[in-house]
Amino acid sequence: MARPRTPLLSRERIVAAALALVDGEGMPAVSTRRLAAELGVSGPSLYNHFRTKDEILDAVADTVCADVDLSMFTDGTDWREALVAWARSYRAALSAHPNIVPYLAQGPGRRPSQLRMADAVYGAMLDAGWPRAHATRIGALMRYFVAGSALGSFARGFVDDAALYERDYPHLDQAHLLAEHQQRVDEGAFETGLRALVDGLALRFPDRGRAREAEDGEGRAR
């Protein structure tokens, strides 16, 4: 029997093609017609695997988040170091695919990988003694911070024209050098902010256990 001229279509092939389009051209490039052309199939054949374009984008987003390491939340790592390690892995996954970040920032929806991540972070904070309300806020603020840092480069936002800054912006007299040191600047900013967030939480709320007991007591009183 002769082999088919094109490989059999699968969810994995569709997701890989969609992710390549997102990475190369951005979210607007993804359409069922474009994907079908990229895969060498007819448009309706995609609907055997996904009902809508949004389902395809959800699968793409979930694939990106599936690469995030969550092992630090179950191996006994201190909650502060666990948050730091997870945030680094999360940012690395998003930074590899920055064009999908705005879509991911909308929240987990029904995406399994993002829901597992939210569950792992929230559960680890509860295990560390944080009240439920605080654990929710920690998960939210970490997501804001990581997603924002992966969305773009601070250093690349400054042009390398010294004359632009020297007269009207004297405090930015070195800004023209930032792009040249983009990785060091952006990585350093992320690490500084990450440590400030985590250490600040520990300093701001030293009596997590007492706050947890108070929250539990309020819940029983209702």
Side-chain angles (χ1 to χ4, degrees):
M1 180 181 295
R3 294 182 178 179
R5 292 184 177 181
T6 58
L8 294 176
L9 198 59
S10 65
R11 288 179 63 91
E12 290 74 20
R13 284 194 67 215
I14 296 170
V15 170
L19 181 56
L21 282 176
V22 171
D23 286 345
E25 302 179 36
M27 298 281 290
V30 180
S31 68
T32 52
R33 178 180 297 181
R34 178 71 183 277
L35 278 173
E38 293 288 329
L39 292 164
V41 300
S42 63
S45 62
L46 298 177
Y47 296 111
N48 293 325
H49 302 275
F50 295 98
R51 291 176 297 177
T52 64
K53 186 182 83 169
D54 284 343
E55 282 194 1
I56 296 174
L57 292 175
D58 275 347
V60 170
D62 211 48
T63 296
V64 171
C65 284
D67 289 335
V68 180
D69 184 12
L70 301 175
S71 63
M72 67 288 296
F73 294 121
T74 56
D75 64 6
T77 301
D78 174 76
W79 69 269
R80 285 168 292 190
E81 293 308 313
L83 279 180
V84 168
W86 163 68
R88 288 170 177 161
S89 179
Y90 189 15
R91 180 173 181 262
L94 298 190
S95 295
H97 308 282
N99 289 337
I100 198 69
V101 173
Y103 193 79
L104 285 166
Q106 297 173 13
R110 296 178 179 272
R111 297 188 284 272
S113 292
Q114 279 192 273
L115 288 170
R116 280 194 295 272
M117 183 164 62
D119 182 70
V121 175
Y122 181 69
M125 295 306 98
L126 292 182
D127 290 343
W130 287 97
R132 288 179 176 273
H134 287 75
T136 299
R137 293 167 194 162
I138 290 170
L141 75 87
M142 293 299 292
R143 194 186 79 184
Y144 299 152
F145 176 68
V146 174
S149 71
L151 193 56
S153 166
F154 173 82
R156 286 179 182 166
F158 294 86
V159 300
D160 61 353
D161 180 4
L164 173 66
Y165 309 104
E166 62 185 9
R167 187 185 67 179
D168 296 325
Y169 313 102
H171 295 101
L172 299 180
D173 61 322
Q174 299 295 304
H176 64 287
L177 302 174
L178 289 175
E180 181 182 345
H181 304 285
Q182 176 261 324
Q183 184 173 358
R184 182 160 60 89
V185 172
D186 290 345
E187 293 291 335
F190 174 75
E191 288 295 326
T192 299
L194 179 59
R195 283 293 176 183
L197 275 177
V198 174
D199 292 345
L201 285 170
L203 291 172
R204 178 70 176 81
F205 301 103
D207 296 324
R208 298 188 309 279
R210 186 177 304 173
R212 176 73 171 271
E213 290 174 3
E215 183 184 70
D216 291 345
E218 289 177 4
R220 288 191 295 270
R222 291 192 184 102

